Amino acid sequence: NVNVTYVSYKPGEAVISGGQQVTGFTLYDSDKNIYRANIKNLGTIAKNSRQIYVNGIRAIRTRSEGKLENCVNLGKGGVGVTTTDTSLLDYQKINELELVFFENWTNPRFVVESATFDEATQRVTLKLNESLWNKRMNGANCVPTVPEYYENAYELLDEGGEFYIDKTAGYLYYIPRAYEDIHTAEVIIPNAESLMTMTGTADEPMKNITFDGISFEHTTWTAPNTYGFADGQNNNGITQPNTSDAFMPGAIEL
């Protein structure tokens, strides 16, 4: 019958954060207004983060403005799509590019494994992981058609508010929005995937616990980085080949 309350000393100001601040941005490309900061000394999760926050606003992971040029789905067994956009062949890290789909209530994404060019057809084939691709291609009325956009390549950095993380070299690239001063902005990169777990039992359940005026902020989820996320009903999906469906974990789990 005991009540436990965790309360901010100053109402609404306490933050439990999984992030780290990034400073030291320098101008990297003056033509595109791209700035760069060294994150080599941050943790592995930070260098693989799928989010950053600038002055409390979530930035945009660098992405295309639309669909792949003349995209064709190769269908079941085809393991990918083709396009006439040959500029993809010049991407330095094509194996980190993600194709993002919207199919009814699902939002699957697939990481490109390789890009090859066919001289005869003048088309580029983007190969995806066979296991994840077939999972969704056999997904009844949520079968992937063509991606709505593609993301996560340095070559796509072209608008304010977009960022790209070179996880191998350890650099964060960002184009400030028109109203942002990158030298004074608070840039936070998540370095954690979980902030809190509370576990009880049927006999001794967790109860009578209150968090008052406390914010939980700055986490990421890196599992889709390698192959993607083949989701289905209710965000139930897989991120690894030949595995069973599972729900994505929460930053806070009760």
PDB file of all heavy atoms in Angstrom, residues 45-52 58-61 96 98 100 109 111 151-152 163 165 189-190 219-226 228-229:
ATOM      1  N   ILE A  45      26.355   2.809 -30.129  1.00  0.00           N
ATOM      2  CA  ILE A  45      24.957   3.103 -30.411  1.00  0.00           C
ATOM      3  C   ILE A  45      24.821   4.485 -31.037  1.00  0.00           C
ATOM      4  O   ILE A  45      24.071   4.673 -31.998  1.00  0.00           O
ATOM      5  CB  ILE A  45      24.107   2.993 -29.126  1.00  0.00           C
ATOM      6  CG1 ILE A  45      24.059   1.531 -28.656  1.00  0.00           C
ATOM      7  CG2 ILE A  45      22.696   3.520 -29.361  1.00  0.00           C
ATOM      8  CD1 ILE A  45      23.328   1.335 -27.355  1.00  0.00           C
ATOM      9  N   ALA A  46      25.550   5.461 -30.509  1.00  0.00           N
ATOM     10  CA  ALA A  46      25.476   6.822 -31.052  1.00  0.00           C
ATOM     11  C   ALA A  46      25.910   6.849 -32.508  1.00  0.00           C
ATOM     12  O   ALA A  46      25.265   7.495 -33.352  1.00  0.00           O
ATOM     13  CB  ALA A  46      26.339   7.766 -30.225  1.00  0.00           C
ATOM     14  N   LYS A  47      26.974   6.156 -32.826  1.00  0.00           N
ATOM     15  CA  LYS A  47      27.476   6.168 -34.196  1.00  0.00           C
ATOM     16  C   LYS A  47      26.567   5.391 -35.152  1.00  0.00           C
ATOM     17  O   LYS A  47      26.691   5.512 -36.375  1.00  0.00           O
ATOM     18  CB  LYS A  47      28.903   5.617 -34.235  1.00  0.00           C
ATOM     19  CG  LYS A  47      29.921   6.611 -33.710  1.00  0.00           C
ATOM     20  CD  LYS A  47      31.349   6.102 -33.767  1.00  0.00           C
ATOM     21  CE  LYS A  47      31.633   5.116 -32.675  1.00  0.00           C
ATOM     22  NZ  LYS A  47      33.078   4.779 -32.573  1.00  0.00           N
ATOM     23  N   ASN A  48      25.650   4.610 -34.588  1.00  0.00           N
ATOM     24  CA  ASN A  48      24.673   3.886 -35.404  1.00  0.00           C
ATOM     25  C   ASN A  48      23.270   4.452 -35.250  1.00  0.00           C
ATOM     26  O   ASN A  48      22.306   3.866 -35.749  1.00  0.00           O
ATOM     27  CB  ASN A  48      24.666   2.410 -35.015  1.00  0.00           C
ATOM     28  CG  ASN A  48      25.842   1.646 -35.576  1.00  0.00           C
ATOM     29  OD1 ASN A  48      25.795   1.138 -36.700  1.00  0.00           O
ATOM     30  ND2 ASN A  48      26.922   1.562 -34.818  1.00  0.00           N
ATOM     31  N   SER A  49      23.160   5.605 -34.583  1.00  0.00           N
ATOM     32  CA  SER A  49      21.837   6.163 -34.289  1.00  0.00           C
ATOM     33  C   SER A  49      21.059   6.494 -35.553  1.00  0.00           C
ATOM     34  O   SER A  49      21.631   6.888 -36.571  1.00  0.00           O
ATOM     35  CB  SER A  49      21.973   7.421 -33.428  1.00  0.00           C
ATOM     36  OG  SER A  49      20.705   7.979 -33.159  1.00  0.00           O
ATOM     37  N   ARG A  50      19.752   6.360 -35.444  1.00  0.00           N
ATOM     38  CA  ARG A  50      18.869   6.691 -36.550  1.00  0.00           C
ATOM     39  C   ARG A  50      18.189   8.039 -36.327  1.00  0.00           C
ATOM     40  O   ARG A  50      17.338   8.446 -37.125  1.00  0.00           O
ATOM     41  CB  ARG A  50      17.827   5.588 -36.714  1.00  0.00           C
ATOM     42  CG  ARG A  50      18.446   4.213 -36.974  1.00  0.00           C
ATOM     43  CD  ARG A  50      17.408   3.115 -36.935  1.00  0.00           C
ATOM     44  NE  ARG A  50      16.481   3.204 -38.025  1.00  0.00           N
ATOM     45  CZ  ARG A  50      16.684   2.692 -39.248  1.00  0.00           C
ATOM     46  NH1 ARG A  50      17.832   2.081 -39.536  1.00  0.00           N
ATOM     47  NH2 ARG A  50      15.773   2.797 -40.187  1.00  0.00           N
ATOM     48  N   GLN A  51      18.530   8.710 -35.236  1.00  0.00           N
ATOM     49  CA  GLN A  51      17.943  10.007 -34.912  1.00  0.00           C
ATOM     50  C   GLN A  51      19.002  10.959 -34.370  1.00  0.00           C
ATOM     51  O   GLN A  51      19.986  10.521 -33.774  1.00  0.00           O
ATOM     52  CB  GLN A  51      16.842   9.876 -33.850  1.00  0.00           C
ATOM     53  CG  GLN A  51      15.605   9.131 -34.263  1.00  0.00           C
ATOM     54  CD  GLN A  51      15.737   7.637 -34.071  1.00  0.00           C
ATOM     55  OE1 GLN A  51      16.565   7.172 -33.300  1.00  0.00           O
ATOM     56  NE2 GLN A  51      14.918   6.879 -34.772  1.00  0.00           N
ATOM     57  N   ILE A  52      18.777  12.253 -34.549  1.00  0.00           N
ATOM     58  CA  ILE A  52      19.438  13.289 -33.766  1.00  0.00           C
ATOM     59  C   ILE A  52      18.383  14.367 -33.495  1.00  0.00           C
ATOM     60  O   ILE A  52      17.353  14.425 -34.177  1.00  0.00           O
ATOM     61  CB  ILE A  52      20.678  13.911 -34.464  1.00  0.00           C
ATOM     62  CG1 ILE A  52      20.251  14.783 -35.653  1.00  0.00           C
ATOM     63  CG2 ILE A  52      21.685  12.865 -34.879  1.00  0.00           C
ATOM     64  CD1 ILE A  52      21.374  15.688 -36.169  1.00  0.00           C
ATOM     65  N   ARG A  58      13.425  16.907 -33.665  1.00  0.00           N
ATOM     66  CA  ARG A  58      14.027  15.770 -34.341  1.00  0.00           C
ATOM     67  C   ARG A  58      14.408  16.144 -35.766  1.00  0.00           C
ATOM     68  O   ARG A  58      13.598  16.695 -36.521  1.00  0.00           O
ATOM     69  CB  ARG A  58      13.048  14.591 -34.357  1.00  0.00           C
ATOM     70  CG  ARG A  58      13.598  13.355 -35.044  1.00  0.00           C
ATOM     71  CD  ARG A  58      12.632  12.194 -34.888  1.00  0.00           C
ATOM     72  NE  ARG A  58      13.025  11.069 -35.725  1.00  0.00           N
ATOM     73  CZ  ARG A  58      12.408   9.896 -35.747  1.00  0.00           C
ATOM     74  NH1 ARG A  58      11.352   9.700 -34.971  1.00  0.00           N
ATOM     75  NH2 ARG A  58      12.810   8.924 -36.535  1.00  0.00           N
ATOM     76  N   ALA A  59      15.653  15.866 -36.135  1.00  0.00           N
ATOM     77  CA  ALA A  59      16.126  16.152 -37.488  1.00  0.00           C
ATOM     78  C   ALA A  59      15.672  15.049 -38.447  1.00  0.00           C
ATOM     79  O   ALA A  59      15.141  14.014 -38.030  1.00  0.00           O
ATOM     80  CB  ALA A  59      17.640  16.286 -37.498  1.00  0.00           C
ATOM     81  N   ILE A  60      15.895  15.271 -39.723  1.00  0.00           N
ATOM     82  CA  ILE A  60      15.453  14.345 -40.761  1.00  0.00           C
ATOM     83  C   ILE A  60      16.636  13.531 -41.258  1.00  0.00           C
ATOM     84  O   ILE A  60      17.640  14.099 -41.699  1.00  0.00           O
ATOM     85  CB  ILE A  60      14.830  15.106 -41.946  1.00  0.00           C
ATOM     86  CG1 ILE A  60      13.646  15.954 -41.467  1.00  0.00           C
ATOM     87  CG2 ILE A  60      14.377  14.135 -43.041  1.00  0.00           C
ATOM     88  CD1 ILE A  60      13.201  16.984 -42.473  1.00  0.00           C
ATOM     89  N   ARG A  61      16.529  12.227 -41.174  1.00  0.00           N
ATOM     90  CA  ARG A  61      17.565  11.372 -41.740  1.00  0.00           C
ATOM     91  C   ARG A  61      17.575  11.594 -43.247  1.00  0.00           C
ATOM     92  O   ARG A  61      16.545  11.519 -43.901  1.00  0.00           O
ATOM     93  CB  ARG A  61      17.247   9.917 -41.409  1.00  0.00           C
ATOM     94  CG  ARG A  61      18.413   8.953 -41.498  1.00  0.00           C
ATOM     95  CD  ARG A  61      17.966   7.644 -40.892  1.00  0.00           C
ATOM     96  NE  ARG A  61      19.029   6.664 -40.845  1.00  0.00           N
ATOM     97  CZ  ARG A  61      18.901   5.410 -41.280  1.00  0.00           C
ATOM     98  NH1 ARG A  61      17.741   5.009 -41.802  1.00  0.00           N
ATOM     99  NH2 ARG A  61      19.894   4.561 -41.179  1.00  0.00           N
ATOM    100  N   GLU A  96      24.315   0.911 -47.287  1.00  0.00           N
ATOM    101  CA  GLU A  96      23.643   1.482 -46.119  1.00  0.00           C
ATOM    102  C   GLU A  96      22.351   2.195 -46.519  1.00  0.00           C
ATOM    103  O   GLU A  96      21.592   2.652 -45.666  1.00  0.00           O
ATOM    104  CB  GLU A  96      24.571   2.455 -45.390  1.00  0.00           C
ATOM    105  CG  GLU A  96      25.778   1.782 -44.751  1.00  0.00           C
ATOM    106  CD  GLU A  96      26.669   2.756 -44.013  1.00  0.00           C
ATOM    107  OE1 GLU A  96      26.325   3.971 -43.973  1.00  0.00           O
ATOM    108  OE2 GLU A  96      27.699   2.339 -43.489  1.00  0.00           O
ATOM    109  N   GLU A  98      18.584   2.773 -47.521  1.00  0.00           N
ATOM    110  CA  GLU A  98      17.354   2.088 -47.161  1.00  0.00           C
ATOM    111  C   GLU A  98      16.217   2.513 -48.097  1.00  0.00           C
ATOM    112  O   GLU A  98      16.029   3.700 -48.352  1.00  0.00           O
ATOM    113  CB  GLU A  98      16.957   2.383 -45.715  1.00  0.00           C
ATOM    114  CG  GLU A  98      17.924   1.808 -44.704  1.00  0.00           C
ATOM    115  CD  GLU A  98      17.476   2.029 -43.268  1.00  0.00           C
ATOM    116  OE1 GLU A  98      16.279   2.357 -43.055  1.00  0.00           O
ATOM    117  OE2 GLU A  98      18.299   1.887 -42.358  1.00  0.00           O
ATOM    118  N   VAL A 100      12.258   2.773 -48.443  1.00  0.00           N
ATOM    119  CA  VAL A 100      11.153   2.895 -47.490  1.00  0.00           C
ATOM    120  C   VAL A 100       9.819   2.783 -48.227  1.00  0.00           C
ATOM    121  O   VAL A 100       9.547   3.545 -49.151  1.00  0.00           O
ATOM    122  CB  VAL A 100      11.233   4.235 -46.734  1.00  0.00           C
ATOM    123  CG1 VAL A 100      10.120   4.315 -45.690  1.00  0.00           C
ATOM    124  CG2 VAL A 100      12.599   4.396 -46.066  1.00  0.00           C
ATOM    125  N   ARG A 109      10.902  -1.353 -44.490  1.00  0.00           N
ATOM    126  CA  ARG A 109      12.091  -0.725 -45.086  1.00  0.00           C
ATOM    127  C   ARG A 109      13.144  -1.815 -45.254  1.00  0.00           C
ATOM    128  O   ARG A 109      13.250  -2.735 -44.452  1.00  0.00           O
ATOM    129  CB  ARG A 109      12.608   0.419 -44.222  1.00  0.00           C
ATOM    130  CG  ARG A 109      12.923   0.056 -42.788  1.00  0.00           C
ATOM    131  CD  ARG A 109      13.439   1.247 -41.999  1.00  0.00           C
ATOM    132  NE  ARG A 109      12.476   2.317 -41.958  1.00  0.00           N
ATOM    133  CZ  ARG A 109      12.733   3.564 -42.377  1.00  0.00           C
ATOM    134  NH1 ARG A 109      13.914   3.877 -42.881  1.00  0.00           N
ATOM    135  NH2 ARG A 109      11.821   4.506 -42.285  1.00  0.00           N
ATOM    136  N   VAL A 111      17.334  -2.546 -46.389  1.00  0.00           N
ATOM    137  CA  VAL A 111      18.673  -2.035 -46.650  1.00  0.00           C
ATOM    138  C   VAL A 111      19.204  -2.668 -47.937  1.00  0.00           C
ATOM    139  O   VAL A 111      19.106  -3.888 -48.133  1.00  0.00           O
ATOM    140  CB  VAL A 111      19.621  -2.347 -45.481  1.00  0.00           C
ATOM    141  CG1 VAL A 111      21.035  -1.849 -45.785  1.00  0.00           C
ATOM    142  CG2 VAL A 111      19.102  -1.700 -44.194  1.00  0.00           C
ATOM    143  N   GLU A 151      16.562   6.549 -48.217  1.00  0.00           N
ATOM    144  CA  GLU A 151      17.244   7.406 -47.257  1.00  0.00           C
ATOM    145  C   GLU A 151      18.576   6.830 -46.795  1.00  0.00           C
ATOM    146  O   GLU A 151      18.929   5.696 -47.084  1.00  0.00           O
ATOM    147  CB  GLU A 151      16.346   7.647 -46.039  1.00  0.00           C
ATOM    148  CG  GLU A 151      16.121   6.428 -45.162  1.00  0.00           C
ATOM    149  CD  GLU A 151      15.293   6.765 -43.924  1.00  0.00           C
ATOM    150  OE1 GLU A 151      14.411   7.635 -44.002  1.00  0.00           O
ATOM    151  OE2 GLU A 151      15.545   6.157 -42.867  1.00  0.00           O
ATOM    152  N   ASN A 152      19.319   7.674 -46.058  1.00  0.00           N
ATOM    153  CA  ASN A 152      20.576   7.328 -45.408  1.00  0.00           C
ATOM    154  C   ASN A 152      21.746   7.200 -46.383  1.00  0.00           C
ATOM    155  O   ASN A 152      22.385   6.149 -46.500  1.00  0.00           O
ATOM    156  CB  ASN A 152      20.452   6.043 -44.593  1.00  0.00           C
ATOM    157  CG  ASN A 152      21.625   5.863 -43.627  1.00  0.00           C
ATOM    158  OD1 ASN A 152      22.088   6.831 -43.025  1.00  0.00           O
ATOM    159  ND2 ASN A 152      22.110   4.641 -43.488  1.00  0.00           N
ATOM    160  N   PHE A 163      20.296  15.179 -41.779  1.00  0.00           N
ATOM    161  CA  PHE A 163      21.580  14.747 -41.232  1.00  0.00           C
ATOM    162  C   PHE A 163      21.978  13.401 -41.822  1.00  0.00           C
ATOM    163  O   PHE A 163      21.147  12.644 -42.335  1.00  0.00           O
ATOM    164  CB  PHE A 163      21.513  14.644 -39.699  1.00  0.00           C
ATOM    165  CG  PHE A 163      20.790  13.418 -39.190  1.00  0.00           C
ATOM    166  CD1 PHE A 163      21.490  12.268 -38.842  1.00  0.00           C
ATOM    167  CD2 PHE A 163      19.407  13.410 -39.051  1.00  0.00           C
ATOM    168  CE1 PHE A 163      20.833  11.135 -38.383  1.00  0.00           C
ATOM    169  CE2 PHE A 163      18.734  12.291 -38.584  1.00  0.00           C
ATOM    170  CZ  PHE A 163      19.453  11.142 -38.252  1.00  0.00           C
ATOM    171  N   ILE A 165      24.964  10.218 -40.734  1.00  0.00           N
ATOM    172  CA  ILE A 165      26.026   9.739 -39.850  1.00  0.00           C
ATOM    173  C   ILE A 165      26.899   8.748 -40.602  1.00  0.00           C
ATOM    174  O   ILE A 165      26.403   7.715 -41.088  1.00  0.00           O
ATOM    175  CB  ILE A 165      25.448   9.074 -38.586  1.00  0.00           C
ATOM    176  CG1 ILE A 165      24.673  10.096 -37.744  1.00  0.00           C
ATOM    177  CG2 ILE A 165      26.557   8.448 -37.751  1.00  0.00           C
ATOM    178  CD1 ILE A 165      23.964   9.498 -36.543  1.00  0.00           C
ATOM    179  N   ILE A 189      22.594  13.472 -29.772  1.00  0.00           N
ATOM    180  CA  ILE A 189      22.540  12.208 -30.489  1.00  0.00           C
ATOM    181  C   ILE A 189      22.276  11.098 -29.474  1.00  0.00           C
ATOM    182  O   ILE A 189      22.942  11.020 -28.439  1.00  0.00           O
ATOM    183  CB  ILE A 189      23.853  11.952 -31.271  1.00  0.00           C
ATOM    184  CG1 ILE A 189      23.737  10.707 -32.145  1.00  0.00           C
ATOM    185  CG2 ILE A 189      25.048  11.835 -30.341  1.00  0.00           C
ATOM    186  CD1 ILE A 189      24.894  10.547 -33.119  1.00  0.00           C
ATOM    187  N   PRO A 190      21.271  10.271 -29.696  1.00  0.00           N
ATOM    188  CA  PRO A 190      20.990   9.183 -28.754  1.00  0.00           C
ATOM    189  C   PRO A 190      22.147   8.198 -28.672  1.00  0.00           C
ATOM    190  O   PRO A 190      22.760   7.851 -29.693  1.00  0.00           O
ATOM    191  CB  PRO A 190      19.745   8.519 -29.348  1.00  0.00           C
ATOM    192  CG  PRO A 190      19.099   9.579 -30.162  1.00  0.00           C
ATOM    193  CD  PRO A 190      20.237  10.367 -30.746  1.00  0.00           C
ATOM    194  N   THR A 219      16.366   8.369 -27.269  1.00  0.00           N
ATOM    195  CA  THR A 219      16.786   6.991 -27.499  1.00  0.00           C
ATOM    196  C   THR A 219      16.689   6.701 -28.989  1.00  0.00           C
ATOM    197  O   THR A 219      16.062   7.434 -29.745  1.00  0.00           O
ATOM    198  CB  THR A 219      15.900   5.980 -26.750  1.00  0.00           C
ATOM    199  OG1 THR A 219      14.542   6.158 -27.161  1.00  0.00           O
ATOM    200  CG2 THR A 219      16.027   6.146 -25.250  1.00  0.00           C
ATOM    201  N   THR A 220      17.311   5.612 -29.398  1.00  0.00           N
ATOM    202  CA  THR A 220      17.249   5.166 -30.781  1.00  0.00           C
ATOM    203  C   THR A 220      17.004   3.669 -30.785  1.00  0.00           C
ATOM    204  O   THR A 220      16.916   3.040 -29.714  1.00  0.00           O
ATOM    205  CB  THR A 220      18.547   5.518 -31.530  1.00  0.00           C
ATOM    206  OG1 THR A 220      18.389   5.222 -32.927  1.00  0.00           O
ATOM    207  CG2 THR A 220      19.741   4.743 -30.984  1.00  0.00           C
ATOM    208  N   TRP A 221      16.884   3.087 -31.973  1.00  0.00           N
ATOM    209  CA  TRP A 221      16.737   1.641 -32.133  1.00  0.00           C
ATOM    210  C   TRP A 221      17.494   1.253 -33.383  1.00  0.00           C
ATOM    211  O   TRP A 221      17.111   1.612 -34.491  1.00  0.00           O
ATOM    212  CB  TRP A 221      15.262   1.260 -32.239  1.00  0.00           C
ATOM    213  CG  TRP A 221      15.019  -0.220 -32.277  1.00  0.00           C
ATOM    214  CD1 TRP A 221      15.554  -1.154 -31.430  1.00  0.00           C
ATOM    215  CD2 TRP A 221      14.190  -0.932 -33.196  1.00  0.00           C
ATOM    216  NE1 TRP A 221      15.093  -2.409 -31.764  1.00  0.00           N
ATOM    217  CE2 TRP A 221      14.259  -2.296 -32.837  1.00  0.00           C
ATOM    218  CE3 TRP A 221      13.384  -0.539 -34.273  1.00  0.00           C
ATOM    219  CZ2 TRP A 221      13.562  -3.290 -33.527  1.00  0.00           C
ATOM    220  CZ3 TRP A 221      12.689  -1.521 -34.957  1.00  0.00           C
ATOM    221  CH2 TRP A 221      12.777  -2.874 -34.582  1.00  0.00           C
ATOM    222  N   THR A 222      18.612   0.557 -33.200  1.00  0.00           N
ATOM    223  CA  THR A 222      19.547   0.339 -34.302  1.00  0.00           C
ATOM    224  C   THR A 222      19.350  -0.979 -35.048  1.00  0.00           C
ATOM    225  O   THR A 222      20.019  -1.220 -36.047  1.00  0.00           O
ATOM    226  CB  THR A 222      20.993   0.393 -33.784  1.00  0.00           C
ATOM    227  OG1 THR A 222      21.195  -0.650 -32.821  1.00  0.00           O
ATOM    228  CG2 THR A 222      21.286   1.741 -33.131  1.00  0.00           C
ATOM    229  N   ALA A 223      18.443  -1.827 -34.585  1.00  0.00           N
ATOM    230  CA  ALA A 223      18.283  -3.152 -35.193  1.00  0.00           C
ATOM    231  C   ALA A 223      18.020  -3.117 -36.696  1.00  0.00           C
ATOM    232  O   ALA A 223      18.513  -3.984 -37.424  1.00  0.00           O
ATOM    233  CB  ALA A 223      17.184  -3.929 -34.475  1.00  0.00           C
ATOM    234  N   PRO A 224      17.258  -2.134 -37.237  1.00  0.00           N
ATOM    235  CA  PRO A 224      16.997  -2.145 -38.685  1.00  0.00           C
ATOM    236  C   PRO A 224      18.198  -1.765 -39.546  1.00  0.00           C
ATOM    237  O   PRO A 224      18.110  -1.839 -40.782  1.00  0.00           O
ATOM    238  CB  PRO A 224      15.876  -1.107 -38.854  1.00  0.00           C
ATOM    239  CG  PRO A 224      15.269  -0.963 -37.497  1.00  0.00           C
ATOM    240  CD  PRO A 224      16.407  -1.152 -36.542  1.00  0.00           C
ATOM    241  N   ASN A 225      19.297  -1.319 -38.940  1.00  0.00           N
ATOM    242  CA  ASN A 225      20.422  -0.803 -39.726  1.00  0.00           C
ATOM    243  C   ASN A 225      21.032  -1.823 -40.683  1.00  0.00           C
ATOM    244  O   ASN A 225      21.507  -1.468 -41.749  1.00  0.00           O
ATOM    245  CB  ASN A 225      21.527  -0.284 -38.803  1.00  0.00           C
ATOM    246  CG  ASN A 225      21.179   1.047 -38.180  1.00  0.00           C
ATOM    247  OD1 ASN A 225      20.082   1.554 -38.351  1.00  0.00           O
ATOM    248  ND2 ASN A 225      22.114   1.616 -37.441  1.00  0.00           N
ATOM    249  N   THR A 226      21.039  -3.095 -40.293  1.00  0.00           N
ATOM    250  CA  THR A 226      21.761  -4.092 -41.082  1.00  0.00           C
ATOM    251  C   THR A 226      20.966  -4.585 -42.281  1.00  0.00           C
ATOM    252  O   THR A 226      21.472  -4.627 -43.410  1.00  0.00           O
ATOM    253  CB  THR A 226      22.140  -5.292 -40.200  1.00  0.00           C
ATOM    254  OG1 THR A 226      22.875  -4.834 -39.068  1.00  0.00           O
ATOM    255  CG2 THR A 226      23.020  -6.272 -40.975  1.00  0.00           C
ATOM    256  N   GLY A 228      17.091  -4.058 -42.385  1.00  0.00           N
ATOM    257  CA  GLY A 228      15.837  -3.342 -42.539  1.00  0.00           C
ATOM    258  C   GLY A 228      14.837  -3.771 -41.489  1.00  0.00           C
ATOM    259  O   GLY A 228      15.189  -4.347 -40.458  1.00  0.00           O
ATOM    260  N   PHE A 229      13.559  -3.503 -41.754  1.00  0.00           N
ATOM    261  CA  PHE A 229      12.490  -3.863 -40.832  1.00  0.00           C
ATOM    262  C   PHE A 229      11.265  -4.244 -41.648  1.00  0.00           C
ATOM    263  O   PHE A 229      10.591  -3.384 -42.219  1.00  0.00           O
ATOM    264  CB  PHE A 229      12.173  -2.698 -39.891  1.00  0.00           C
ATOM    265  CG  PHE A 229      11.055  -2.979 -38.912  1.00  0.00           C
ATOM    266  CD1 PHE A 229      11.035  -4.146 -38.165  1.00  0.00           C
ATOM    267  CD2 PHE A 229      10.022  -2.078 -38.747  1.00  0.00           C
ATOM    268  CE1 PHE A 229      10.015  -4.418 -37.261  1.00  0.00           C
ATOM    269  CE2 PHE A 229       8.986  -2.318 -37.842  1.00  0.00           C
ATOM    270  CZ  PHE A 229       8.985  -3.504 -37.101  1.00  0.00           C
TER     271      PHE A 229
END
